[in-house]
Each structure stands twice: as C-alpha cells, then as structure tokens.
Amino acid sequence: MTTPATLAEPASEPVAERTARRPVRPGALLACAFLVLLGVAAAAPGLLAHGSPDTASALDILRPPGSGHPLGTDQNGRDLYTRIVYGTRGSVLTGLAATALSLTAGILLGSVGALGGRLADTVVMRLVDVLLAVPGMVMALVVITVAGAGTVNSVVAIAVIGVPGYARLIRGQILVVRRSAYVEAAVALGTRPARIAVRHVIPNALPPVLLFATIGTGAAIGAEAALSFLGLGPRPPAPQWGAMLQQGQEYFSVAWWTAVVPGAALTLTVLSVTVTGQYLQRRFEGRSR
C-alpha cells in the first residue's frame, strides 16, 4: 500500500549546491588556460620567446610560417611570434590599467549618486547620461587629440569610455542593497549612515560590478588595439598588436600571416577574457539565488 511518505516528492536541491556541482565547461577551461599563458607572456616574455622583438633581417623579409619562424616574419624581417609574445605585456596591461581606472572612477561616481542625496544623484546621473550620449571611440579620440598619443593617454582615453557603465551599475546595486533587511536593521540600531555605507552597503554592492569588470577588460584590450591600429597608441617600433595588424594589412595580398597572426592573437585574448568573465558571472548569480 502506498503511503503519503512515498508519494512525497524529494526536496529540491538548493541552487547554490547545484551550481557548485556543475562541471566546468571545456570552453571555460580553455579560456582560463589561455589567460594563464597570457599572464606568463606578460610577466616574463623571455620564457616563451628568445631574442629581441625589434631585431630585423633583410634576408628574412616576409617569410611564411615555417622552420625558424613558426608564425612567419613581417615586412622588416622581424619574427612575428616574438613580437606577439612581447606585445602581450603592452596590450594586456593597458587593458587592465584602463579597466582599473574606469572601475575606480565609476564606483566613486555611482556611490556619490546613490548615497549623496537627490541633488548629488541628479548631477551624477546627468553627467553619466552626457558621457553615454557620445560614442565610446569618439570620446577616446577626443581625449587622445587633446592629450596626445602615448601609452598613458591611451589608458586614460579607454578608461573614460568605461566610467558611465560602471557608475550606473554600482548605483543600481547600492540602491538594491540599501533596501535589504540587514541594512534596515543597522539603521534601526542607530548605526551612523557613513558606517552603514562603508561596512554594509558598498562591500555588498561590489561583487557584481567586479565580475562585470572582468568582461569589460576584454573590451578595453580591444579598444587599445583599435587606438594602436589608428596610430594613436605607443610609438613604433613597440610591438603592439593593433599597430602590427595595421601594418600587416598592407601586405595581406602577398603575406597573409602579417595580418592574420596579430588579429588572431587579439581575437583569442578578447574571447578568452569574455568567456571567463561570463562563466564567473553565471557562477556568482547561481550562488546568489
């Protein structure tokens, strides 16, 4: 005889436990492995490539990929593999620095808007709206035009693009956290507003913003390559992927590798950063639910 106990359905497993037990996808593993390789190339390029990226040879001009030059050579006879490895530091570090700068400025602006009262919120949000009204690359070109080309100015120009998005995101997260039960309990206990903001509101609003910044790093690396492609990045002969891509397109009809190699490096880097960021975002959302 069937009893009510046998008819009862088993309790559903918590979402956080199902998320923790979910296997890591192969794509995410490959993306993480590629990012580790990029980290090694940025920190110690000499471990992966020997020789100088600026060494030219008239006898090796536009050699195809093969023995001695696994990725071929460019129009000056320089080894493309070596230049790609040494160019990792400039491209990746510029993207990371720009993301860190825009994230910091966005958190400050968003926090002031969400915690500073109605007037401060109105001023900050109108400033953000103005920045969002201008296309990102146009804003970067304006900054470069005023400040001049170079690595530092490229970082500032790319950072300006990301500030509005981070400011709006942190503002929204703070407004959500302010309505939570533990914040209301702190208010009821008479805790000072500044202490509540520093100890409870801002720390609990940051995790989603930091995860979003992981994805934004890929966009920053792509923006740095775009500026270098336009000749507004570091001066030659610095091995920048965007500049290498721009130079390689002139010889694409006779030496396809001069454009394909730096383009593939840039694409794989941005794709790996984006996939890793999206994976971390899904894991965090699952645990939050």
Side-chain angles (χ1 to χ4, degrees):
M1 181 176 179
T2 304
T3 62
T6 60
L7 294 176
E9 296 183 356
S12 60
E13 187 179 12
V15 176
E17 294 184 10
R18 293 201 306 268
T19 304
R21 295 179 183 179
R22 187 180 303 168
V24 181
R25 295 182 180 180
L29 285 176
L30 290 176
C32 291
F34 187 78
L35 291 182
V36 170
L37 184 63
L38 286 180
V40 174
L47 295 178
L48 301 178
H50 302 289
S52 172
D54 301 326
T55 300
S57 174
L59 299 177
D60 295 325
I61 292 177
L62 296 180
R63 282 188 178 272
S67 178
H69 301 286
L71 298 181
T73 61
D74 62 7
Q75 69 279 5
N76 294 316
R78 297 172 296 191
D79 184 66
L80 282 178
Y81 171 74
T82 303
R83 290 182 63 78
I84 289 294
V85 171
Y86 277 86
T88 303
R89 175 178 295 177
S91 298
V92 172
L93 292 185
T94 299
L96 289 175
T99 301
L101 184 59
S102 60
L103 178 63
T104 302
I107 290 174
L108 290 176
L109 276 178
S111 300
V112 170
L115 301 172
R118 180 173 299 180
L119 177 60
D121 189 31
T122 301
V123 173
V124 169
M125 287 300 100
R126 295 297 78 77
L127 175 61
V128 169
D129 291 340
V130 170
L131 293 176
L132 288 174
V134 182
M137 190 52 63
V138 173
M139 180 67 70
L141 292 176
V142 170
V143 174
I144 291 292
T145 302
V146 173
T151 302
V152 176
N153 293 335
S154 296
V155 169
V156 174
I158 298 170
V160 171
I161 300 176
V163 169
Y166 293 122
R168 296 190 69 172
L169 182 58
I170 189 65
R171 173 183 176 271
Q173 291 296 320
I174 288 176
L175 293 179
V176 170
V177 173
R178 286 180 64 181
R179 294 193 294 267
S180 59
Y182 56 86
V183 173
E184 293 178 354
V187 173
L189 292 173
T191 307
R192 292 180 301 172
R195 184 177 179 85
I196 293 175
V198 173
R199 292 203 58 183
H200 301 290
V201 177
I202 295 179
N204 287 285
L206 280 180
V209 183
L210 297 178
L211 290 176
F212 182 75
T214 305
I215 301 175
T217 302
I221 293 174
E224 186 276 336
L227 293 177
S228 297
F229 184 88
L230 296 174
L232 300 176
R235 300 295 184 184
Q240 294 294 119
W241 293 348
M244 294 169 62
L245 182 61
Q246 189 276 331
Q247 296 167 4
Q249 71 171 354
E250 301 178 8
Y251 302 91
F252 184 79
S253 59
V254 295
W256 54 267
W257 56 90
T258 57
V260 171
V261 169
L266 177 62
T267 301
L268 289 175
T269 299
V270 175
L271 183 62
S272 298
V273 173
T274 303
V275 169
T276 302
Q278 290 177 344
Y279 171 75
L280 294 175
Q281 195 171 33
R282 286 194 296 269
R283 298 280 293 191
F284 175 79
E285 289 175 354
R287 291 179 181 275
S288 296
R289 286 193 295 267

